[in-house]
Amino acid sequence: DRILRGDELLWTDDQGLCFKCNVSSRTPEVAQIEGVYTPPARRRQGFAARGLSEVCRRLLDDVPCLSLYVNDFNHGAIRLYERQGYERISEYQSIFFA
């Protein structure tokens, strides 16, 4: 269902996975992006910037606002999101229990 709805998004080429992300939830007002990933061997080649830009462009055809969460220590992801126009509006922390 998630693939058919367009909520699981993959970009592949003849070398394999270039970029992936998910739309975890969607309302008429906002869509939340999660699971943004580029394989380590393919990072710093523009795949994440191009992939996320295209995903955002398509989502913004349907909703006026996009959101995502990123850990404060993930500096590469934060730079990518800021270059894409995202702005930090609040702090968030993931906590995992064993």
Side-chain angles (χ1 to χ4, degrees):
D1 285 345
R2 292 180 56 80
I3 293 169
L4 293 175
R5 285 194 316 262
D7 291 342
E8 298 286 333
L9 305 153
L10 298 174
W11 175 11
T12 62
D13 64 12
D14 59 347
Q15 296 178 36
L17 181 65
C18 300
F19 171 81
K20 73 153 281 289
C21 75
N22 312 327
V23 180
S24 62
S25 61
R26 190 186 311 225
T27 70
E29 294 82 26
V30 64
Q32 182 173 317
I33 297 170
E34 70 174 11
V36 176
Y37 177 76
T38 302
R42 309 217 60 194
R43 292 180 185 166
R44 306 190 74 75
Q45 298 176 43
F47 292 113
R50 288 182 296 200
L52 186 60
S53 177
E54 181 64 19
V55 167
C56 292
R57 186 189 64 75
R58 291 179 185 199
L59 288 171
L60 289 169
D61 285 342
D62 297 327
V63 296
C65 185
L66 304 175
S67 71
L68 55 79
Y69 296 105
V70 60
N71 292 314
D72 62 354
F73 57 81
N74 194 340
H75 303 291
I78 292 169
R79 284 191 302 274
L80 169 67
Y81 302 145
E82 288 175 344
R83 284 193 311 263
Q84 296 274 326
Y86 282 89
E87 298 175 8
R88 186 177 308 191
I89 60 169
S90 65
E91 298 292 321
Y92 177 83
Q93 183 176 13
S94 297
I95 300 173
F96 300 96
F97 295 96

